[in-house]
Amino acid sequence: MVDMKSSRTPNKSAEAVCRPNNQGQQQGQTSSPETLDPSNETTDTEDHEEEDLGVLDDQRSIMLHLLSQLKLGMDLTRVVLPTFILEKRSLLEMYANFMAHPDMFLSITSGCTPEERMVRFVEYYLTAFHEGRKGAVAKKPYNPILGENFHCSWYVPRDRIRPLRTNNCTGPNSPPTTTSTILESPQRGTDGSSRRNSDCYRVRFVAEQVSHHPPISGFYCECKEKRMCVNTHVWTKSKFMGMSVGVSMVGEGVLYLLEHDEEYVFTLPCAYARSILTVPWVELGGKVTINCTKSGYSATVTFHTKPFYGGKVHRVTAEVKHNQTGNIVCKAQGEWNGMLEFTYSNGDNKVIDTSKQPIIKKKIQPLERQGQYESRRLWQHVTVSLKAGNMDAATEHKRCLEERQRREAKQRAATQTPWKAKYFIKEGEGWVYQNPLWKAH
């Protein structure tokens, strides 16, 4: 294992992180996603935009030393990377930020036909990555420790759900119809804070690190009123590629539309950190699939990596087709963090500028109400130190968390106590939320 710990004197204030926090443990044990009081949630004010212009000279020497010990294709899962590349948020929270447009997510189930619902899912999917993969500078979210969890909610004003494209909807939950011509991107809400919660749909999210080796995260999101939810498990695999680092997202998600008895199975793209010795930047790559067996509609989304010479960055293309007939009903092209153009089989077209879409802010419990293993509270000292530019303190706080995880693993091994996730249950090769909406109905 390559270990790039700081060689300077450890920061003594970090010792508190290594000691158990009984009060926090009690808070963490008594709360559950279903019992959290929504009235305690406050609008998230954190801004995770990374403004670093590049790697400093002393940091470059650390990176060069690290790179000299790596081999092409080497698995980086157990490699301790230097603290200055960290992003000031947990990977679990990054997954939550894929839901920054919950109004587009909720509009999927309002589609009148199987074709329209698949198209809407693809539109939501393509616009989700720009906020989840925030910032032009490639930095690495915190590796979640075993048992870490993250909770948040979004409140979506009811009148912000996107109007229909078609005019033949007669379902019981159908909003007023509109003309099929699309001239602009969907309306966007704010965080809904000026409205009463009764005027909004509530979208609830919970994520948990359910395995350490391999590193598997489970996350679940639902809206009870719209009778829809999504369950995903992701195993991240990192490998060294010379001047780049590649991260594969192994696993899959399933979107459940209970009103229509439909399931949409989807995969996730790979991510790449490029130019890691100069100004590192991130791009997505690979082909992902979305499939609904019941309706017979599927989609293929291809994230194109930049050619070595020339070519554009962040390109993405997509096709939605009816499997039985082979008919292409929608095509999309553009940049996943910029302009996206959608062309439909009926002649309509639409352009969405993801960089100009207002974000609906998530709401979270105050830090003092969070459990010991909730991401914001767990990593708070590392985050504060990174914001202050104190890399030694951040490294020590991070070391203490990792050491506590190793100590707890040894205790479980000594007592032959198996690890049990708090919110997710292992089913086959995947992980499923313990109380999903499809089981409650």
Side-chain angles (χ1 to χ4, degrees):
M1 181 187 302
V2 181
D3 193 338
M4 297 303 300
K5 297 186 181 72
S6 172
S7 60
R8 301 176 189 176
T9 303
N11 188 295
K12 298 300 182 182
S13 64
E15 293 177 357
V17 181
C18 299
R19 296 193 295 267
N21 185 327
N22 294 330
Q23 180 182 2
Q25 189 175 21
Q26 290 171 355
Q27 289 176 344
Q29 293 296 326
T30 56
S31 65
S32 70
E34 289 81 7
T35 59
L36 289 174
D37 187 354
S39 65
N40 291 327
E41 294 176 323
T42 58
T43 302
D44 184 26
T45 57
E46 286 287 334
D47 183 6
H48 295 287
E49 192 78 43
E50 299 292 340
E51 299 178 350
D52 299 28
L53 297 178
V55 180
L56 302 178
D57 288 340
D58 58 337
Q59 296 172 347
R60 184 176 289 106
S61 65
I62 294 175
M63 290 297 295
L64 284 170
H65 176 63
L66 172 63
L67 296 178
S68 69
Q69 301 177 63
L70 303 179
K71 297 179 180 179
L72 286 176
M74 181 178 178
D75 181 8
L76 300 181
T77 303
R78 296 173 184 261
V79 175
V80 180
L81 298 174
T83 305
F84 60 79
I85 71 168
L86 295 179
E87 193 183 318
K88 300 193 288 289
R89 63 171 174 173
S90 172
L91 180 65
L92 298 185
E93 183 171 350
M94 190 189 84
Y95 291 141
N97 288 349
F98 286 130
M99 289 296 301
H101 301 304
D103 49 343
M104 292 189 72
F105 174 72
L106 295 184
S107 74
I108 297 170
T109 196
S110 298
C112 295
T113 64
E115 174 185 325
E116 185 166 348
R117 290 190 289 275
M118 175 60 81
V119 168
R120 286 187 171 203
F121 184 34
V122 172
E123 291 174 354
Y124 157 73
Y125 186 94
L126 290 178
T127 57
F129 290 94
H130 77 102
E131 182 67 11
R133 180 60 272 165
K134 189 164 185 175
V137 178
K139 289 208 167 186
K140 183 180 181 299
Y142 307 142
N143 282 337
I145 71 169
L146 187 63
E148 178 182 338
N149 52 87
F150 183 81
H151 309 263
C152 65
S153 299
W154 295 265
Y155 289 87
V156 184
R158 294 174 184 270
D159 59 3
R160 300 289 183 172
I161 303 303
R162 182 160 63 86
L164 298 170
R165 276 205 317 118
T166 56
N167 56 10
N168 59 349
C169 193
T170 58
N173 297 324
S174 305
T177 57
T178 65
T179 176
S180 62
T181 302
I182 301 173
L183 299 176
E184 57 186 26
S185 60
Q187 278 189 302
R188 287 287 161 264
T190 58
D191 61 6
S193 58
S194 62
R195 298 177 183 237
R196 296 173 300 176
N197 287 347
S198 59
D199 295 333
C200 301
Y201 293 111
R202 185 185 182 218
V203 179
R204 183 174 64 82
F205 177 93
V206 56
E208 181 179 11
Q209 192 69 7
V210 296
S211 171
H212 184 52
H213 294 303
I216 303 175
S217 307
F219 60 91
Y220 173 82
C221 188
E222 73 171 22
C223 178
K224 289 185 177 179
E225 286 185 278
K226 299 290 281 183
R227 300 185 63 210
M228 61 187 299
C229 60
V230 61
N231 188 98
T232 306
H233 67 275
V234 180
W235 170 17
T236 55
K237 297 178 65 175
S238 303
K239 65 178 181 179
F240 178 57
M241 303 169 62
M243 289 298 102
S244 300
V245 173
V247 181
S248 299
M249 309 286 273
V250 182
E252 66 179 25
V254 183
L255 169 69
Y256 298 84
L257 302 183
L258 301 184
E259 179 181 356
H260 308 287
D261 191 29
E262 292 175 344
E263 299 179 9
Y264 296 73
V265 181
F266 62 93
T267 55
L268 296 167
C270 300
Y272 300 93
R274 307 296 195 191
S275 305
I276 55 180
L277 279 181
T278 54
V279 180
W281 57 282
V282 67
E283 69 172 341
L284 303 178
K287 183 176 291 188
V288 302
T289 57
I290 304 169
N291 188 62
C292 179
T293 301
K294 180 184 177 183
S295 70
Y297 283 90
S298 65
T300 301
V301 180
T302 305
F303 293 85
H304 302 270
T305 56
K306 184 183 181 300
F308 191 77
Y309 292 106
K312 294 182 178 181
V313 296
H314 309 312
R315 285 185 58 242
V316 63
T317 56
E319 283 189 349
V320 178
K321 74 175 182 178
H322 184 246
N323 296 333
Q324 189 172 4
T325 63
N327 292 336
I328 305 297
V329 299
C330 175
K331 289 187 177 183
Q333 63 175 348
E335 295 83 40
W336 57 265
N337 59 354
M339 303 288 287
L340 289 166
E341 181 181 1
F342 298 86
T343 304
Y344 309 95
S345 56
N346 64 356
D348 289 344
N349 61 77
K350 175 175 61 178
V351 174
I352 296 178
D353 187 348
T354 61
S355 65
K356 294 182 179 179
Q357 286 185 296
I359 303 302
I360 295 183
K361 294 282 190 179
K362 60 182 176 288
K363 290 180 179 288
I364 59 174
Q365 295 282 328
L367 206 63
E368 63 273 12
R369 289 183 175 270
Q370 294 183 17
Q372 181 185 6
Y373 280 83
E374 290 192 46
S375 297
R376 288 279 181 94
R377 179 168 176 170
L378 184 71
W379 293 96
Q380 61 178 317
H381 301 298
V382 178
T383 301
V384 168
S385 299
L386 287 176
K387 287 182 177 179
N390 190 339
M391 296 302 160
D392 289 341
T395 299
E396 184 61 15
H397 286 303
K398 176 174 173 287
R399 185 196 65 79
C400 281
L401 288 175
E402 294 165 345
E403 180 59 36
R404 186 173 75 183
Q405 180 173 230
R406 286 190 286 267
R407 187 167 60 247
E408 291 173 351
K410 288 181 180 179
Q411 290 173 350
R412 287 194 301 273
T415 59
Q416 296 184 333
T417 304
W419 165 257
K420 184 178 180 181
K422 187 175 182 181
Y423 301 115
F424 289 81
I425 301 169
K426 195 173 192 312
E427 291 189 3
E429 296 299 314
W431 290 80
V432 177
Y433 182 61
Q434 63 179 357
N435 188 29
L437 202 56
W438 69 84
K439 290 185 179 179
H441 289 71

